[in-house]
Amino acid sequence: MEAEYDFSQGQRGAIDPVPSSKTRITIRLDDEVLAWFREQVDRAGGGNCQTLINEALRQHIQSICQPLEETLPNVVREELERIER
């Protein structure tokens, strides 16, 4: 180790800049919810819990915003499969 380091050319801030499509927020999640997402990441062999939560939220939003014409055939198909069992 050197006795003295030169930080005169150093820059402050994050090493990896945050993409402009992302916003940093503080959110409080139930312990059980966070534990479930962490478990899913562990089962997948690693990754990022935040990415998984973001994807779950995105899927939920899509399911709510999906037009009836796209939702109805899926519901009918699922119900027919359930009846046929």
Side-chain angles (χ1 to χ4, degrees):
M1 242 170 109
E2 293 184 29
E4 188 174 315
Y5 292 93
D6 179 16
F7 293 104
S8 62
Q9 300 299 315
Q11 295 180 353
R12 298 192 113 188
I15 296 172
D16 293 328
V18 177
S20 61
S21 64
K22 303 267 183 181
T23 302
R24 178 182 293 263
I25 65 166
T26 300
I27 184 171
R28 296 185 190 280
L29 300 174
D30 292 342
D31 291 339
E32 306 86 41
V33 171
L34 191 54
W36 185 87
F37 278 102
R38 286 181 174 158
E39 183 179 317
Q40 300 310 303
V41 169
D42 289 343
R43 284 185 182 177
N48 188 327
C49 184
Q50 291 177 6
T51 302
L52 196 59
I53 293 169
N54 198 35
E55 182 60 31
L57 290 169
R58 185 174 283 113
Q59 286 179 8
H60 176 70
I61 291 168
Q62 267 184 329
S63 72
I64 290 174
C65 296
Q66 193 174 31
L68 182 61
E69 296 82 18
E70 293 179 22
T71 305
L72 193 57
N74 293 334
V75 171
V76 171
R77 187 177 311 111
E78 290 172 8
E79 289 301 312
L80 287 174
E81 287 175 2
R82 193 173 60 90
I83 291 170
E84 292 173 355
R85 290 183 200 168

